[in-house]
Amino acid sequence: METAGFIGALEREGRLLAAAAEETGTGAAVPTCPEWRVRDLVRHIGMVHRWAAAFVAEGHTGYRPDGGLPDLDGAALLAWFREGHRALVDTLSGAAPDVRCWHFLPAASPLAFWARRQAHETAVHRFDAESARGGTAAGVGTDFALDGIDELLCGFHARAGSRVRSEQPRVLRVRATDAEGAVWHVRLSQEPPVAERDEVGDPGTARQADCEVAGPAGQLYLSLWNRLPFPEVSGDASLAALWHERSAVTWS
């Protein structure tokens, strides 16, 4: 996906998130994040939007802490969220392609990183907001989901902080069933996971996996972010359980 596509996704997902939060009310429980109410979700993602926008708008080349959570609720909180979301979209849309600023995963450019990261951050939390509302949540497009799986497996969990470790070397295979060749092999050990995407999807390689999790890309994306159970699990199911137990990405 191109940067403009991510910005478009960010804009759409943020609007859906706000609409779901408004319909549900900020006191509703969030089933996919059991420790949160909707107000906690909106405060968090609104803070993240402002934090991200500042790096691009102000050109910070080193890490800066976030600005903290607001003491707002109800209509005032939703207005604050919408203001920050709009500012982030406008900042990314208006930024120079070669803008220089801090970012924390490999990317073609800082702007590409922040557009991609904030689109996925907002999409996952939009699903959270819609889970609080009940009913059927909006789906996640196949191409967007495949990119998000790649970011999570090859980006986030390649970092030293990943807790997805195994005493003995194991291989977890991740396969999207609705996209040709969308297969990742995640090698687990006592070190951070090493994920490689296999565009060919060689069946011979599949036999080397200790466990496979599979399903449509949109569902698999949310499963890997621990929002849904895995659609299909074959082989050693303890590796799928290990993922759910240890793969959470938390704010710090």
Side-chain angles (χ1 to χ4, degrees):
M1 290 180 62
E2 299 294 330
T3 297
F6 286 119
I7 296 172
L10 166 64
E11 182 169 25
R12 178 179 63 256
E13 296 290 346
R15 286 191 282 102
L16 289 172
L17 190 159
E22 186 169 45
E23 182 178 347
T24 304
T26 57
V30 182
T32 49
C33 299
E35 71 279 11
W36 274 0
R37 298 283 172 170
V38 169
R39 67 175 64 90
D40 302 307
L41 170 65
V42 175
R43 287 169 181 166
H44 168 75
I45 190 63
M47 172 272 290
V48 172
H49 284 172
R50 284 167 166 77
W51 176 77
F55 285 105
V56 179
E58 300 169 19
H60 301 299
T61 56
Y63 172 80
R64 292 170 66 91
D66 63 76
L69 301 176
D71 185 18
L72 296 172
D73 203 354
L77 175 60
L78 291 173
W80 174 85
F81 169 80
R82 287 183 167 115
E83 178 185 31
H85 171 247
R86 182 74 259 162
L88 174 60
V89 170
D90 290 346
T91 295
L92 295 174
S93 298
D98 60 351
V99 64
R100 294 176 59 85
C101 63
W102 179 82
H103 56 293
F104 60 88
L105 294 178
S109 70
L111 180 60
F113 165 81
W114 284 111
R116 180 196 204 194
R117 177 81 291 277
Q118 291 307 299
H120 288 300
E121 177 86 6
T122 306
V124 171
H125 286 315
R126 181 271 298 168
F127 184 83
D128 293 331
E130 292 184 345
S131 77
R133 184 182 63 189
T136 302
V140 178
T142 299
D143 288 345
F144 184 78
L146 292 173
D147 179 85
I149 293 170
D150 203 72
E151 184 202 41
L152 181 62
L153 298 181
C154 301
F156 273 105
H157 284 287
R159 300 188 302 169
S162 176
R163 298 186 303 112
V164 185
R165 311 288 178 103
S166 173
E167 289 295 323
Q168 300 298 322
R170 311 297 299 280
V171 176
L172 174 66
R173 176 180 165 93
V174 177
R175 179 171 61 89
T177 56
D178 55 347
E180 185 176 355
V183 177
W184 293 259
H185 294 90
V186 186
R187 301 189 181 279
L188 305 179
S189 68
Q190 296 182 43
E191 300 298 321
V194 176
E196 297 178 347
R197 185 167 179 176
D198 178 5
E199 297 286 352
V200 178
D202 179 4
T205 306
R207 291 193 292 270
Q208 298 175 14
D210 298 290
C211 174
E212 177 180 275
V213 295
Q219 294 180 44
L220 201 55
Y221 170 74
L222 292 166
S223 299
L224 289 163
W225 276 105
N226 292 319
R227 265 53 184 191
L228 293 173
F230 287 118
E232 303 172 27
V233 178
S234 58
D236 184 355
S238 69
L239 287 186
L242 175 72
W243 181 271
H244 278 316
E245 290 166 5
R246 300 188 184 177
S247 67
V249 175
T250 58
W251 186 258
S252 60

